[in-house]
Each structure stands twice: as structure tokens, then as C-alpha cells.
Amino acid sequence: MAALPSCSPNKPCRSLLVLLAGVTVLLVGSVHLCAATLDEDIELIWGASHTYFFMDGDTETLALSLDEQQGSCFRSKGTYLYATISMDIKLVEGNSAGVVATVYTISEGPWSYHDEIDLEFLGNLTGEPITLHTNIFANGEGGREMQFYLWFDPTADYHTYTIEWNPKYIIIKVDGKAIRAFKNYQDQGVPYPTWQQQRVYGSLWDADQWATQGGAIKTDWSNAPFVAYYRNYNTTWCQPSPGVAWCGDEPRDSTHFDLDPQTMADLQWVDANYKIYDYCTDHKRFNESEFPKECYLQRAGV
């Protein structure tokens, strides 16, 4: 997939009462609406009538929903340059084919050189695995897709999804386990996000043109509204080595951000068991001489 859409609505939305009446059936007996404080850190961009805050036990939670009229989207009020960003997400239950839930970061400068770190959860038929689709853009250059199945049912409970972005690596984690690491090869001519602040977004939208089995399985709107739940949004600024003012000043020869043995082991385990697509091994897409430069550098262990 190309870059994510910039959170624009699809169609005029239904009234709030109609949507909440449909969703309340799913929530009765387990949660209650409340005056949440999560909105101190995020703001709703579109689909406000399809978006609501509630208390799930003792935890304030944001529900995004999608029907045939419209989806929903939020973004962070703050922007970040080198940070660890995490959120707990419970994905759409049941038949979610065609539906995509996201959490991602994106810069706000001209599109031609934008930066972006994507996590997209591609819905599927009931009983079929949901795909976690990841991509990284730097200086407007993307096409760095990797896809994974997860080792649990992401619709049954909340799980923590993390983007760790520092001057040496972008690391994507699930429940603290690293599933992908993209190294900074900027000194080798490979673009890397080093100077543009990025804002965090989350959305729920219809992508049945491509999301499930290449678009072969379409969204079944009789299952609408589709609902995904987000909570525990946390951001932590990158911490440099002692004596270094900020992460952007970290010396190039510093080992401060090197991958530790546990992270390396996690990456190897996921690669062997749960990775289902890697652009660096896609010989149908690239001739051997056409692979992106970072693919050769990774193979060489640089």
C-alpha cells in the first residue's frame, strides 16, 4: 500500500443517536460513558459522531467506529522528533474483512518529502488471521513494507503496540517484543527520518479495495458498525547518552542505541515464525540489482 490517507472523511455521517444506538448493544453491561481525559493528549479529526470516550473498568478508552457512511480518526496534539510512542488497541471482532485500523506517525511538511511510520491492521474473515502491515517513509520515499501475523488473537483483548524512533533505529514492538527494526543508513545514501517532527494518528476506515486478500474479500456492511478500541496512549522523549544534550546530537560512533541481545532474539523469532512479507526478499517486485540499498546493507550485516 502507498502512504496512508491524511484522515479525510469518506461520506457524510449519520446522526450521533443512530450510531450510538447500534454500538450500545455491544457495550451494555460492560462499560459506561464518561467525561474522559484522554482528549487532553489527542483530538478528533473526522467522524466525531462515530467516536466516543468511555470507561472500560478503570481505564479511559477511545472507541473508533466505522459504518457504510463514515469512519473515524484522531491525532495527537503534540508532535515528536525521536520518541517512543505506544498505545493499547483491541481490534474489530468477528468478520472485519475490508476494515483497516491504524496507528501511525506522519510529518506535516510538503508531501513530496514527508516522513511516516505505519502500523495498519488489515481485517479478515472470522477465524482468519489479521495482518499487521508496516511501512516506513523517509523524505517522501516509501515502499518498505513488511507484514506479520500475530501470535495471539488481537480482537480478544488489548495489546500494546509501540513505535520506538531514535537516531539509529526505528523499532516496532508488540507487547514489548520487537518485530521489526529499520536501521539508519543515511550515511550510505538511504533516507531516514532525522529532522521532521511527526504527529501520531489513529483511524478506522474502509479499504476493501486492497486490504483483504488483495481486495478479493469486500466489507460486509451487515456487520457494521465495526468498532476498535484505543487506550493508554503514552509518549516518551528519546533519552540520549549521559552528557549529550538531545538524541539528535548523539555521536555517530555511539553504541547507546544499538540493539540489545533480547531485541535481536525477538526479531529472529518473529522473522522465523510470523513474518509473512518482506520487501527485501520480494524477487517478483525487484530484480536482484533493483533491491533498495538498505536491503543489501542488511544482508551484509553493516
Side-chain angles (χ1 to χ4, degrees), residues 147-218:
Q147 295 183 341
F148 307 86
Y149 288 149
L150 299 169
W151 48 96
F152 51 82
D153 178 0
T155 73
D157 204 347
Y158 291 92
H159 293 270
T160 304
Y161 303 93
T162 302
I163 297 170
E164 184 177 321
W165 172 28
N166 63 55
K168 185 169 282 189
Y169 283 98
I170 294 168
I171 305 170
I172 296 173
K173 296 181 177 180
V174 177
D175 289 339
K177 185 181 295 292
I179 66 168
R180 178 175 184 178
F182 181 79
K183 190 173 182 179
N184 182 352
Y185 290 116
Q186 197 170 34
D187 60 344
Q188 302 283 336
V190 178
Y192 188 86
T194 58
W195 61 279
Q196 296 187 90
Q197 293 205 1
Q198 299 190 49
R199 198 179 298 274
V200 182
Y201 284 79
S203 63
L204 188 67
W205 58 292
D206 174 36
D208 71 359
Q209 304 91 341
W210 65 272
T212 306
Q213 298 181 29
I217 308 299
K218 302 300 183 182

Side-chain angles (χ1 to χ4, degrees), residues 251-295:
R252 184 173 295 277
D253 60 353
S254 169
T255 61
H256 182 64
F257 296 114
D258 285 356
L259 302 181
D260 59 50
Q262 184 60 58
T263 297
M264 295 290 291
D266 289 346
L267 291 169
Q268 292 169 3
W269 179 75
V270 171
D271 184 73
N273 295 284
Y274 295 100
K275 184 188 290 183
I276 58 173
Y277 177 79
D278 184 343
Y279 73 110
C280 279
T281 61
D282 189 344
H283 290 272
K284 292 183 179 179
R285 179 176 173 184
F286 302 106
N287 293 325
E288 187 58 37
S289 61
E290 296 175 344
F291 278 96
K293 190 172 184 179
E294 67 268 21
C295 298

Side-chain angles (χ1 to χ4, degrees), residues 32-40 52-56 58-62:
H32 58 280
L33 298 178
C34 73
T37 59
L38 187 60
D39 60 357
E40 293 179 1
Y52 55 96
F53 296 96
F54 66 95
M55 289 301 292
D56 190 349
D58 295 329
T59 306
E60 56 194 18
T61 301
L62 174 65

